[in-house]
Amino acid sequence: MGTVSNLRKREFSKSCHVLLPLFLSIFFLHFGTSNSATLNYTKYRQVSTLRLARIEKHLNKINKPPVFTIESPDGDIIDCVHKKKQPAFDHPLLKNHKIQKVSPEVPKTKMVKTDEVRDINNNSSRRWSDVAWQIWHEKGQRCPKGTVPIRRSRVHDVLRAKSLYDFGKKKRGAFHLSLQRVDASDVTSGNGHEHAIAFTGSSEEVYGAKATINVWNPEVEVVNEFSLSQIWVLSGSFDGSDLNSIEAGCQVSPELYGDNKPRLFTYWTSDSYQATGCYNLLCSGFVQTNSRIAIGAAISPLSSFDGNQFDITILIWKDPKIGNWWMSFGDDTLVGYWPAELFTHLADRATMVEWGGEVVNSRANGEHTTTQMGSGHFADEGFRKASYFRNLEIVDSDNSLSSVQDISTLAENSNCYDIKSSYSNEWGSHFYYGGPGKNAQCP
C-alpha cells in the first residue's frame, strides 16, 4: 500500500513540475497517437494553478487508493481497488448500501448460447475466456481477489473535457431519435448526434435486454466526436427531464480516453443526462463486483474487413428478487450492477430498449464528419464487411429471455449511416448497420 501510494504521489508531483511553471503561458498537451491520419489530439490550453488544484481534488476523489497497480501495454494504469472502497459508495443515495452478496437470478433463456468468438477463416470458435480480450490482460496480470480494476483518471484526461463538470458525462441535450419524426430539420438541427438503431415499442414492460455486438475500430475525425455501439434500457419521458437510461457497449472517444481504441463502456442517468450519471466509474453509482473486467479499458482482438470477426455479448437485466439492474458479459460473467436506488422509473421496470450505433457529427469543417459508425461500411455489404448486432433478446416479467419478434429501425441520415434488419434461426433478430459518414451522397 505504501509503495503504491508513494508511486501515485510521485506521478502527480512530476506532472505538477511540468505543468505549474506554464500556468500563465500556452500549455502544449499531447493527447496520444492515433491510427487515423485526420485525428488531431494536440491542443493549446491555459492552465492556472487554481484549475489544476480543482482537478487534483476531483481526481483524488475518484481515484481510490489501490491495493495493487497494473500498467497496461497501451498506457492505461489499472488500479485494483478494494471493492468496498470503490467510487460507487460516494453517492448520497448509497451511503448505507451493502454490496449485493446473493447472486442475482440470471434470466432463463431458450436461445443457443452466443458467448463465442468466431473465427470465420476456419469456421472454428473460441470463447472470450480463451482470449486476452482487454489489452491490460496481455501480460497475464490480474487484480487480487476482493478488489475491482478501475482505469485511473489523470490530469490530461480532465483537460480534454470541456470543463471539470463535463468530464465523464454525455453532453446535455442527448436524446433518442426513436420517438421522433425524422425529417431534414433533425439532420441539420445542430444536435450533432446521428443514429442507426433498432428499438422495441414504447409501451412494453421490459426487465432487461441482451445482444451480441460485433466489435470494430471505427475512425473518429475530430477529438470531441465519438462512435459507439450499445444497448439502451430506457424508461420515463423522452421530452421531459425524467428519462432514466442504462447503457453499455463499446465506444471510441478520443476526448474521453485520449486515443482511438474501442473500449467497453457503461453509462447511466436518471434525469435525461442533465446532472446525474456518467461514463464507467467516473462518478459514483455503478457497483462493480468483477475483478477481471475493467470498464473503460480497451478491447482486443477486433474484427477486420473481410477477415476474422469478433463480437461481445452483453446482458442488462433487473434482478427480480432484490431489484438492482445487473450487467453480465459473455458467458454469464457478472460485471456489477446499478442499484435500484439510483432511479425513479427504472426502479420499477423499463418501457423501451434500443440497440445500435451513434456518432457525433460536429461539422467542424462545415461538412459532414468522416467519423465512421461500426465498421465504416453500409449495412448492404453484409457479413465480414458491415458491423452487426445479433440475437436481440428482451427479459420479460417472468425473468425469461425471448427473441425480439417485432422491432422497428431508424437511421435519420441513411446516406451517411444506415441499418438493415433480418431474422434467422441461428442469429434470431439481428441487423447490420453503420457507414463511413461523409461520402458522395453525404456531403
Side-chain angles (χ1 to χ4, degrees):
M1 284 286 288
T3 302
V4 173
S5 179
N6 290 336
L7 176 64
R8 294 180 65 214
K9 289 178 180 178
R10 286 198 301 271
E11 180 186 57
F12 180 69
S13 177
K14 184 178 179 181
S15 298
C16 287
H17 178 73
V18 175
L19 297 174
L20 287 175
L22 302 176
F23 74 93
L24 292 177
S25 62
I26 298 297
F27 176 63
F28 185 74
L29 180 63
H30 288 285
F31 285 164
T33 59
S34 168
N35 60 5
S36 172
T38 61
L39 192 58
N40 180 11
Y41 290 110
T42 305
K43 283 189 176 181
Y44 296 90
R45 286 285 183 91
Q46 279 188 318
V47 183
S48 68
T49 51
L50 178 60
R51 188 180 183 199
L52 283 173
R54 288 173 177 169
I55 290 173
E56 172 61 8
K57 182 178 179 181
H58 183 72
L59 292 177
N60 284 338
K61 181 179 180 180
I62 63 175
N63 290 329
K64 302 302 182 181
V67 173
F68 184 69
T69 292
I70 298 170
E71 293 188 16
S72 175
D74 64 353
D76 280 358
I77 295 179
I78 305 298
D79 288 327
C80 305
V81 176
H82 194 285
K83 62 183 179 181
K84 293 184 179 179
K85 303 294 185 180
Q86 62 182 294
F89 304 114
D90 291 336
H91 198 288
L93 295 176
L94 303 180
K95 289 296 184 183
N96 299 315
H97 183 86
K98 303 297 182 183
I99 296 177
Q100 182 175 334
K101 295 182 179 180
V102 179
S103 296
E105 185 178 321
V106 179
K108 301 175 287 292
T109 182
K110 299 178 182 179
M111 298 288 295
V112 177
K113 283 187 177 292
T114 61
D115 59 330
E116 296 180 335
V117 180
R118 300 184 180 276
D119 182 340
I120 51 83
N121 284 346
N122 57 20
N123 295 321
S124 67
S125 62
R126 295 170 292 156
R127 294 184 181 276
W128 276 108
S129 57
D130 297 329
V131 184
W133 71 271
Q134 284 194 315
I135 293 176
W136 69 280
H137 290 165
E138 289 182 356
K139 292 183 179 180
Q141 293 177 295
R142 297 288 185 269
C143 281
K145 185 178 180 180
T147 68
V148 294
I150 301 178
R151 180 181 183 271
R152 186 186 299 179
S153 297
R154 290 176 275 187
V155 171
H156 56 267
D157 294 321
V158 181
L159 289 175
R160 284 192 301 271
K162 183 179 179 181
S163 68
L164 181 59
Y165 178 83
D166 292 308
F167 174 59
K169 297 180 181 179
K170 285 193 175 181
K171 292 178 174 61
R172 290 182 292 277
F175 65 102
H176 295 270
L177 268 288
S178 57
L179 293 185
Q180 298 191 6
R181 292 184 180 276
V182 179
D183 55 30
S185 63
D186 292 318
V187 178
T188 60
S189 63
N191 179 279
H193 291 250
E194 298 186 16
H195 308 75
I197 59 172
F199 57 97
T200 64
S202 60
S203 59
E204 297 184 29
E205 291 189 5
V206 182
Y207 294 85
K210 185 177 184 180
T212 296
I213 305 172
N214 194 202
V215 183
W216 294 78
N217 190 15
E219 292 191 357
V220 175
E221 180 182 6
V222 182
V223 173
N224 63 358
E225 296 178 343
F226 65 66
S227 180
L228 59 77
S229 300
Q230 70 169 65
I231 301 172
W232 291 263
V233 177
L234 303 156
S235 189
S237 173
F238 284 79
D239 56 1
S241 60
D242 65 345
L243 180 68
N244 289 197
S245 182
I246 291 174
E247 307 167 22
C250 51
Q251 173 190 46
V252 174
S253 176
E255 182 177 273
L256 188 59
Y257 305 108
D259 58 30
N260 203 29
K261 299 182 180 73
R263 295 168 177 271
L264 177 71
F265 83 95
T266 61
Y267 200 92
W268 71 274
T269 181
S270 62
D271 63 355
S272 298
Y273 308 96
Q274 294 182 105
T276 62
C278 62
Y279 283 109
N280 308 329
L281 304 180
L282 296 177
C283 68
S284 54
F286 183 83
V287 178
Q288 183 157 343
T289 59
N290 190 286
S291 63
R292 298 187 62 175
I293 296 175
I295 301 172
I299 300 172
S300 177
L302 305 173
S303 300
S304 59
F305 185 81
D306 209 21
N308 293 349
Q309 300 299 292
F310 298 98
D311 50 34
I312 59 174
T313 298
I314 292 176
L315 167 64
I316 300 169
W317 84 101
K318 185 178 177 66
D319 180 7
K321 293 182 179 179
I322 299 180
N324 297 322
W325 285 89
W326 279 83
M327 173 184 169
S328 74
F329 180 92
D331 191 11
D332 297 331
T333 299
L334 298 176
V335 179
Y337 62 90
W338 294 268
E341 298 98 301
L342 297 174
F343 302 103
T344 52
H345 297 284
L346 281 175
D348 183 16
R349 63 182 181 273
T351 55
M352 174 177 279
V353 174
E354 298 177 0
W355 301 264
E358 178 182 2
V359 302
V360 171
N361 171 29
S362 66
R363 300 187 67 86
N365 301 314
E367 300 175 333
H368 195 285
T369 182
T370 59
T371 288
Q372 300 172 335
M373 181 188 292
S375 67
H377 292 263
F378 287 114
D380 281 342
E381 296 190 49
F383 187 59
R384 298 200 301 183
K385 296 175 182 178
S387 189
Y388 61 79
F389 275 62
R390 62 181 174 90
N391 300 109
L392 306 185
E393 298 176 89
I394 58 173
V395 182
D396 61 24
S397 59
D398 294 327
N399 200 37
S400 296
L401 279 163
S402 59
S403 179
V404 179
Q405 300 297 321
D406 184 20
I407 59 171
S408 302
T409 60
L410 173 71
E412 75 270 34
N413 201 354
S414 59
N415 288 330
C416 308
Y417 314 102
D418 67 358
I419 182 169
K420 183 178 181 180
S421 64
S422 188
Y423 186 90
S424 70
N425 289 333
E426 182 183 4
W427 280 20
S429 290
H430 63 277
F431 59 86
Y432 290 99
Y433 71 103
K438 181 184 175 182
N439 63 80
Q441 284 72 47
C442 175

PDB file of all heavy atoms in Angstrom, residues 339-365:
ATOM      1  N   PRO A 339     -27.585   0.051  -8.590  1.00  0.00           N
ATOM      2  CA  PRO A 339     -28.590  -0.102  -7.529  1.00  0.00           C
ATOM      3  C   PRO A 339     -29.912   0.564  -7.898  1.00  0.00           C
ATOM      4  O   PRO A 339     -29.941   1.630  -8.521  1.00  0.00           O
ATOM      5  CB  PRO A 339     -27.940   0.588  -6.326  1.00  0.00           C
ATOM      6  CG  PRO A 339     -26.468   0.531  -6.601  1.00  0.00           C
ATOM      7  CD  PRO A 339     -26.349   0.679  -8.097  1.00  0.00           C
ATOM      8  N   ALA A 340     -31.004  -0.067  -7.503  1.00  0.00           N
ATOM      9  CA  ALA A 340     -32.331   0.455  -7.811  1.00  0.00           C
ATOM     10  C   ALA A 340     -32.540   1.854  -7.246  1.00  0.00           C
ATOM     11  O   ALA A 340     -33.316   2.644  -7.789  1.00  0.00           O
ATOM     12  CB  ALA A 340     -33.395  -0.498  -7.269  1.00  0.00           C
ATOM     13  N   GLU A 341     -31.824   2.179  -6.153  1.00  0.00           N
ATOM     14  CA  GLU A 341     -31.994   3.484  -5.514  1.00  0.00           C
ATOM     15  C   GLU A 341     -31.626   4.652  -6.419  1.00  0.00           C
ATOM     16  O   GLU A 341     -32.045   5.788  -6.169  1.00  0.00           O
ATOM     17  CB  GLU A 341     -31.115   3.578  -4.240  1.00  0.00           C
ATOM     18  CG  GLU A 341     -31.453   2.571  -3.159  1.00  0.00           C
ATOM     19  CD  GLU A 341     -30.520   1.364  -3.227  1.00  0.00           C
ATOM     20  OE1 GLU A 341     -30.490   0.706  -4.294  1.00  0.00           O
ATOM     21  OE2 GLU A 341     -29.837   1.087  -2.217  1.00  0.00           O
ATOM     22  N   LEU A 342     -30.841   4.392  -7.451  1.00  0.00           N
ATOM     23  CA  LEU A 342     -30.391   5.465  -8.330  1.00  0.00           C
ATOM     24  C   LEU A 342     -31.501   6.013  -9.218  1.00  0.00           C
ATOM     25  O   LEU A 342     -31.388   7.111  -9.750  1.00  0.00           O
ATOM     26  CB  LEU A 342     -29.258   4.975  -9.231  1.00  0.00           C
ATOM     27  CG  LEU A 342     -27.957   4.535  -8.560  1.00  0.00           C
ATOM     28  CD1 LEU A 342     -27.011   3.952  -9.610  1.00  0.00           C
ATOM     29  CD2 LEU A 342     -27.302   5.696  -7.838  1.00  0.00           C
ATOM     30  N   PHE A 343     -32.582   5.238  -9.371  1.00  0.00           N
ATOM     31  CA  PHE A 343     -33.555   5.535 -10.419  1.00  0.00           C
ATOM     32  C   PHE A 343     -34.936   5.872  -9.872  1.00  0.00           C
ATOM     33  O   PHE A 343     -35.252   5.603  -8.724  1.00  0.00           O
ATOM     34  CB  PHE A 343     -33.654   4.340 -11.378  1.00  0.00           C
ATOM     35  CG  PHE A 343     -32.349   3.975 -12.014  1.00  0.00           C
ATOM     36  CD1 PHE A 343     -31.628   2.871 -11.573  1.00  0.00           C
ATOM     37  CD2 PHE A 343     -31.807   4.756 -13.024  1.00  0.00           C
ATOM     38  CE1 PHE A 343     -30.414   2.538 -12.136  1.00  0.00           C
ATOM     39  CE2 PHE A 343     -30.595   4.432 -13.595  1.00  0.00           C
ATOM     40  CZ  PHE A 343     -29.893   3.318 -13.149  1.00  0.00           C
ATOM     41  N   THR A 344     -35.724   6.460 -10.775  1.00  0.00           N
ATOM     42  CA  THR A 344     -37.137   6.706 -10.489  1.00  0.00           C
ATOM     43  C   THR A 344     -37.962   5.703 -11.288  1.00  0.00           C
ATOM     44  O   THR A 344     -38.450   4.717 -10.745  1.00  0.00           O
ATOM     45  CB  THR A 344     -37.502   8.155 -10.848  1.00  0.00           C
ATOM     46  OG1 THR A 344     -37.075   8.440 -12.203  1.00  0.00           O
ATOM     47  CG2 THR A 344     -36.820   9.122  -9.907  1.00  0.00           C
ATOM     48  N   HIS A 345     -38.087   5.902 -12.584  1.00  0.00           N
ATOM     49  CA  HIS A 345     -38.874   4.990 -13.422  1.00  0.00           C
ATOM     50  C   HIS A 345     -38.259   3.591 -13.505  1.00  0.00           C
ATOM     51  O   HIS A 345     -38.965   2.585 -13.442  1.00  0.00           O
ATOM     52  CB  HIS A 345     -39.028   5.576 -14.831  1.00  0.00           C
ATOM     53  CG  HIS A 345     -39.783   6.872 -14.854  1.00  0.00           C
ATOM     54  ND1 HIS A 345     -41.163   6.940 -14.719  1.00  0.00           N
ATOM     55  CD2 HIS A 345     -39.357   8.148 -14.988  1.00  0.00           C
ATOM     56  CE1 HIS A 345     -41.540   8.206 -14.770  1.00  0.00           C
ATOM     57  NE2 HIS A 345     -40.468   8.951 -14.933  1.00  0.00           N
ATOM     58  N   LEU A 346     -36.944   3.510 -13.640  1.00  0.00           N
ATOM     59  CA  LEU A 346     -36.294   2.201 -13.740  1.00  0.00           C
ATOM     60  C   LEU A 346     -36.252   1.470 -12.407  1.00  0.00           C
ATOM     61  O   LEU A 346     -35.863   0.303 -12.359  1.00  0.00           O
ATOM     62  CB  LEU A 346     -34.872   2.349 -14.293  1.00  0.00           C
ATOM     63  CG  LEU A 346     -34.750   2.525 -15.812  1.00  0.00           C
ATOM     64  CD1 LEU A 346     -33.301   2.771 -16.210  1.00  0.00           C
ATOM     65  CD2 LEU A 346     -35.307   1.307 -16.552  1.00  0.00           C
ATOM     66  N   ALA A 347     -36.640   2.121 -11.335  1.00  0.00           N
ATOM     67  CA  ALA A 347     -36.777   1.403 -10.072  1.00  0.00           C
ATOM     68  C   ALA A 347     -37.868   0.342 -10.191  1.00  0.00           C
ATOM     69  O   ALA A 347     -37.870  -0.646  -9.458  1.00  0.00           O
ATOM     70  CB  ALA A 347     -37.109   2.375  -8.940  1.00  0.00           C
ATOM     71  N   ASP A 348     -38.777   0.531 -11.146  1.00  0.00           N
ATOM     72  CA  ASP A 348     -39.852  -0.424 -11.393  1.00  0.00           C
ATOM     73  C   ASP A 348     -39.509  -1.333 -12.570  1.00  0.00           C
ATOM     74  O   ASP A 348     -39.260  -2.517 -12.415  1.00  0.00           O
ATOM     75  CB  ASP A 348     -41.155   0.332 -11.643  1.00  0.00           C
ATOM     76  CG  ASP A 348     -42.344  -0.591 -11.835  1.00  0.00           C
ATOM     77  OD1 ASP A 348     -42.228  -1.786 -11.476  1.00  0.00           O
ATOM     78  OD2 ASP A 348     -43.384  -0.131 -12.342  1.00  0.00           O
ATOM     79  N   ARG A 349     -39.458  -0.754 -13.771  1.00  0.00           N
ATOM     80  CA  ARG A 349     -39.183  -1.544 -14.977  1.00  0.00           C
ATOM     81  C   ARG A 349     -38.803  -0.585 -16.105  1.00  0.00           C
ATOM     82  O   ARG A 349     -38.872   0.630 -15.957  1.00  0.00           O
ATOM     83  CB  ARG A 349     -40.418  -2.348 -15.379  1.00  0.00           C
ATOM     84  CG  ARG A 349     -41.621  -1.488 -15.753  1.00  0.00           C
ATOM     85  CD  ARG A 349     -42.827  -2.336 -16.088  1.00  0.00           C
ATOM     86  NE  ARG A 349     -43.966  -1.534 -16.476  1.00  0.00           N
ATOM     87  CZ  ARG A 349     -44.850  -1.016 -15.639  1.00  0.00           C
ATOM     88  NH1 ARG A 349     -44.706  -1.249 -14.329  1.00  0.00           N
ATOM     89  NH2 ARG A 349     -45.858  -0.304 -16.074  1.00  0.00           N
ATOM     90  N   ALA A 350     -38.404  -1.162 -17.244  1.00  0.00           N
ATOM     91  CA  ALA A 350     -38.134  -0.370 -18.439  1.00  0.00           C
ATOM     92  C   ALA A 350     -39.354  -0.417 -19.353  1.00  0.00           C
ATOM     93  O   ALA A 350     -40.206  -1.306 -19.237  1.00  0.00           O
ATOM     94  CB  ALA A 350     -36.908  -0.907 -19.166  1.00  0.00           C
ATOM     95  N   THR A 351     -39.436   0.540 -20.260  1.00  0.00           N
ATOM     96  CA  THR A 351     -40.534   0.558 -21.228  1.00  0.00           C
ATOM     97  C   THR A 351     -40.040   0.487 -22.670  1.00  0.00           C
ATOM     98  O   THR A 351     -40.843   0.345 -23.585  1.00  0.00           O
ATOM     99  CB  THR A 351     -41.380   1.841 -21.068  1.00  0.00           C
ATOM    100  OG1 THR A 351     -40.521   2.984 -21.181  1.00  0.00           O
ATOM    101  CG2 THR A 351     -42.078   1.850 -19.715  1.00  0.00           C
ATOM    102  N   MET A 352     -38.726   0.589 -22.876  1.00  0.00           N
ATOM    103  CA  MET A 352     -38.187   0.540 -24.228  1.00  0.00           C
ATOM    104  C   MET A 352     -36.741   0.070 -24.197  1.00  0.00           C
ATOM    105  O   MET A 352     -36.012   0.332 -23.231  1.00  0.00           O
ATOM    106  CB  MET A 352     -38.269   1.914 -24.899  1.00  0.00           C
ATOM    107  CG  MET A 352     -37.589   1.972 -26.260  1.00  0.00           C
ATOM    108  SD  MET A 352     -37.768   3.572 -27.092  1.00  0.00           S
ATOM    109  CE  MET A 352     -39.412   3.376 -27.764  1.00  0.00           C
ATOM    110  N   VAL A 353     -36.343  -0.606 -25.262  1.00  0.00           N
ATOM    111  CA  VAL A 353     -34.946  -0.991 -25.460  1.00  0.00           C
ATOM    112  C   VAL A 353     -34.519  -0.530 -26.847  1.00  0.00           C
ATOM    113  O   VAL A 353     -35.299  -0.611 -27.807  1.00  0.00           O
ATOM    114  CB  VAL A 353     -34.752  -2.512 -25.341  1.00  0.00           C
ATOM    115  CG1 VAL A 353     -33.321  -2.902 -25.685  1.00  0.00           C
ATOM    116  CG2 VAL A 353     -35.119  -2.998 -23.939  1.00  0.00           C
ATOM    117  N   GLU A 354     -33.306  -0.034 -26.951  1.00  0.00           N
ATOM    118  CA  GLU A 354     -32.709   0.316 -28.234  1.00  0.00           C
ATOM    119  C   GLU A 354     -31.365  -0.390 -28.368  1.00  0.00           C
ATOM    120  O   GLU A 354     -30.639  -0.559 -27.389  1.00  0.00           O
ATOM    121  CB  GLU A 354     -32.508   1.838 -28.352  1.00  0.00           C
ATOM    122  CG  GLU A 354     -33.792   2.631 -28.303  1.00  0.00           C
ATOM    123  CD  GLU A 354     -33.565   4.138 -28.340  1.00  0.00           C
ATOM    124  OE1 GLU A 354     -32.399   4.579 -28.403  1.00  0.00           O
ATOM    125  OE2 GLU A 354     -34.558   4.876 -28.315  1.00  0.00           O
ATOM    126  N   TRP A 355     -31.062  -0.805 -29.585  1.00  0.00           N
ATOM    127  CA  TRP A 355     -29.767  -1.394 -29.905  1.00  0.00           C
ATOM    128  C   TRP A 355     -29.219  -0.667 -31.133  1.00  0.00           C
ATOM    129  O   TRP A 355     -29.968  -0.385 -32.061  1.00  0.00           O
ATOM    130  CB  TRP A 355     -29.891  -2.871 -30.275  1.00  0.00           C
ATOM    131  CG  TRP A 355     -30.487  -3.804 -29.280  1.00  0.00           C
ATOM    132  CD1 TRP A 355     -29.822  -4.592 -28.373  1.00  0.00           C
ATOM    133  CD2 TRP A 355     -31.885  -4.120 -29.097  1.00  0.00           C
ATOM    134  NE1 TRP A 355     -30.711  -5.369 -27.655  1.00  0.00           N
ATOM    135  CE2 TRP A 355     -31.976  -5.091 -28.079  1.00  0.00           C
ATOM    136  CE3 TRP A 355     -33.059  -3.661 -29.710  1.00  0.00           C
ATOM    137  CZ2 TRP A 355     -33.193  -5.632 -27.665  1.00  0.00           C
ATOM    138  CZ3 TRP A 355     -34.269  -4.176 -29.286  1.00  0.00           C
ATOM    139  CH2 TRP A 355     -34.327  -5.150 -28.275  1.00  0.00           C
ATOM    140  N   GLY A 356     -27.918  -0.401 -31.184  1.00  0.00           N
ATOM    141  CA  GLY A 356     -27.390   0.163 -32.413  1.00  0.00           C
ATOM    142  C   GLY A 356     -26.224   1.098 -32.219  1.00  0.00           C
ATOM    143  O   GLY A 356     -25.534   1.082 -31.193  1.00  0.00           O
ATOM    144  N   GLY A 357     -26.005   1.947 -33.242  1.00  0.00           N
ATOM    145  CA  GLY A 357     -24.851   2.817 -33.265  1.00  0.00           C
ATOM    146  C   GLY A 357     -25.213   4.281 -33.153  1.00  0.00           C
ATOM    147  O   GLY A 357     -26.320   4.703 -33.503  1.00  0.00           O
ATOM    148  N   GLU A 358     -24.259   5.063 -32.676  1.00  0.00           N
ATOM    149  CA  GLU A 358     -24.426   6.506 -32.540  1.00  0.00           C
ATOM    150  C   GLU A 358     -23.082   7.172 -32.788  1.00  0.00           C
ATOM    151  O   GLU A 358     -22.036   6.663 -32.368  1.00  0.00           O
ATOM    152  CB  GLU A 358     -24.938   6.865 -31.147  1.00  0.00           C
ATOM    153  CG  GLU A 358     -25.098   8.358 -30.894  1.00  0.00           C
ATOM    154  CD  GLU A 358     -25.551   8.679 -29.486  1.00  0.00           C
ATOM    155  OE1 GLU A 358     -25.710   7.740 -28.682  1.00  0.00           O
ATOM    156  OE2 GLU A 358     -25.737   9.866 -29.187  1.00  0.00           O
ATOM    157  N   VAL A 359     -23.090   8.286 -33.477  1.00  0.00           N
ATOM    158  CA  VAL A 359     -21.887   9.101 -33.663  1.00  0.00           C
ATOM    159  C   VAL A 359     -22.230  10.548 -33.363  1.00  0.00           C
ATOM    160  O   VAL A 359     -23.399  10.945 -33.364  1.00  0.00           O
ATOM    161  CB  VAL A 359     -21.317   8.993 -35.094  1.00  0.00           C
ATOM    162  CG1 VAL A 359     -20.969   7.562 -35.464  1.00  0.00           C
ATOM    163  CG2 VAL A 359     -22.284   9.595 -36.110  1.00  0.00           C
ATOM    164  N   VAL A 360     -21.203  11.338 -33.128  1.00  0.00           N
ATOM    165  CA  VAL A 360     -21.356  12.790 -33.048  1.00  0.00           C
ATOM    166  C   VAL A 360     -20.793  13.389 -34.331  1.00  0.00           C
ATOM    167  O   VAL A 360     -19.660  13.091 -34.723  1.00  0.00           O
ATOM    168  CB  VAL A 360     -20.620  13.369 -31.829  1.00  0.00           C
ATOM    169  CG1 VAL A 360     -20.601  14.896 -31.902  1.00  0.00           C
ATOM    170  CG2 VAL A 360     -21.295  12.917 -30.542  1.00  0.00           C
ATOM    171  N   ASN A 361     -21.609  14.199 -34.988  1.00  0.00           N
ATOM    172  CA  ASN A 361     -21.214  14.892 -36.208  1.00  0.00           C
ATOM    173  C   ASN A 361     -21.090  16.376 -35.884  1.00  0.00           C
ATOM    174  O   ASN A 361     -22.078  17.104 -35.842  1.00  0.00           O
ATOM    175  CB  ASN A 361     -22.253  14.654 -37.310  1.00  0.00           C
ATOM    176  CG  ASN A 361     -22.010  15.515 -38.538  1.00  0.00           C
ATOM    177  OD1 ASN A 361     -20.882  15.869 -38.841  1.00  0.00           O
ATOM    178  ND2 ASN A 361     -23.091  15.858 -39.238  1.00  0.00           N
ATOM    179  N   SER A 362     -19.876  16.830 -35.634  1.00  0.00           N
ATOM    180  CA  SER A 362     -19.675  18.221 -35.213  1.00  0.00           C
ATOM    181  C   SER A 362     -19.603  19.199 -36.387  1.00  0.00           C
ATOM    182  O   SER A 362     -19.641  20.403 -36.188  1.00  0.00           O
ATOM    183  CB  SER A 362     -18.385  18.342 -34.391  1.00  0.00           C
ATOM    184  OG  SER A 362     -17.258  18.064 -35.202  1.00  0.00           O
ATOM    185  N   ARG A 363     -19.480  18.681 -37.605  1.00  0.00           N
ATOM    186  CA  ARG A 363     -19.357  19.521 -38.805  1.00  0.00           C
ATOM    187  C   ARG A 363     -18.268  20.580 -38.605  1.00  0.00           C
ATOM    188  O   ARG A 363     -18.449  21.762 -38.921  1.00  0.00           O
ATOM    189  CB  ARG A 363     -20.692  20.175 -39.159  1.00  0.00           C
ATOM    190  CG  ARG A 363     -21.808  19.190 -39.452  1.00  0.00           C
ATOM    191  CD  ARG A 363     -23.069  19.887 -39.964  1.00  0.00           C
ATOM    192  NE  ARG A 363     -22.848  20.487 -41.266  1.00  0.00           N
ATOM    193  CZ  ARG A 363     -22.988  19.841 -42.415  1.00  0.00           C
ATOM    194  NH1 ARG A 363     -23.340  18.555 -42.429  1.00  0.00           N
ATOM    195  NH2 ARG A 363     -22.766  20.459 -43.576  1.00  0.00           N
ATOM    196  N   ALA A 364     -17.131  20.130 -38.095  1.00  0.00           N
ATOM    197  CA  ALA A 364     -16.055  21.057 -37.735  1.00  0.00           C
ATOM    198  C   ALA A 364     -15.547  21.844 -38.931  1.00  0.00           C
ATOM    199  O   ALA A 364     -15.127  22.994 -38.788  1.00  0.00           O
ATOM    200  CB  ALA A 364     -14.909  20.278 -37.089  1.00  0.00           C
ATOM    201  N   ASN A 365     -15.577  21.242 -40.106  1.00  0.00           N
ATOM    202  CA  ASN A 365     -15.098  21.929 -41.315  1.00  0.00           C
ATOM    203  C   ASN A 365     -16.241  22.392 -42.211  1.00  0.00           C
ATOM    204  O   ASN A 365     -16.050  22.656 -43.397  1.00  0.00           O
ATOM    205  CB  ASN A 365     -14.171  20.990 -42.098  1.00  0.00           C
ATOM    206  CG  ASN A 365     -12.973  20.547 -41.290  1.00  0.00           C
ATOM    207  OD1 ASN A 365     -12.336  21.376 -40.640  1.00  0.00           O
ATOM    208  ND2 ASN A 365     -12.668  19.258 -41.301  1.00  0.00           N
TER     209      ASN A 365
END
